[in-house]
């Protein structure tokens, strides 16, 4: 028989997902109602996701990725693409790490400028 009680690992996973969604929602200045509408769920259910009581389905995770641009790996684990960049810097020869870091900062600044131009149009 299937035991519906969540394990400690599941509870922690759900809380982490909910917390990261809460952070993303606040970054975007969205209300819980707006997030619920975006995902096609009730506001109450979305609130339970943020509190770690429920988890989004795979379909909802894909929607979060598509509509919010949030990395699913980050949402599930707290680790994401930034870890890859750090790995690249660490693998770079020591004498070139500073230059590489400056290049990344420059690229990120360009991306922010491009994002501002797109938002302002």
């Amino acid at each position: 028989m299937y035991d519906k009680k969540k394990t400690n690992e599941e509870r922690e996973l759900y809380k982490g997902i909910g917390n990261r969604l809460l952070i993303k929602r606040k970054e975007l200045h969205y209300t819980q109602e707006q997030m619920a509408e975006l995902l096609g769920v009730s506001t109450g259910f979305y609130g339970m996701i943020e509190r770690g009581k429920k988890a989004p389905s795979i379909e909802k995770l894909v929607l979060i990725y598509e509509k919010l641009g949030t990395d699913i790996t980050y949402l599930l684990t707290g680790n994401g693409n930034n870890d890859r960049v750090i790995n690249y810097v660490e693998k770079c020869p020591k004498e070139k790490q500073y230059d590489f870091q400056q290049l990344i900062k420059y690229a990120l600044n360009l991306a922010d400028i491009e994002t501002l131009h797109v938002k302002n149009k």
Side-chain angles (χ1 to χ4, degrees), residues 27-78:
E27 283 174 2
L28 296 170
H29 305 288
Y30 283 6
T31 64
Q32 282 191 339
E33 291 81 12
Q34 289 170 315
M35 288 291 282
E37 185 177 326
L38 185 90
L39 298 176
V41 297
S42 71
T43 304
F45 186 78
Y46 180 78
M48 287 191 280
I49 291 173
E50 276 194 5
R51 290 190 304 278
K53 303 293 182 195
K54 298 285 183 181
S57 67
I58 292 172
E59 292 84 6
K60 300 307 179 195
L61 289 172
V62 171
L63 271 176
I64 291 166
Y65 168 73
E66 290 175 347
K67 296 197 179 218
L68 302 178
T70 302
D71 181 29
I72 294 174
T73 301
Y74 166 73
L75 195 60
L76 294 174
T77 67

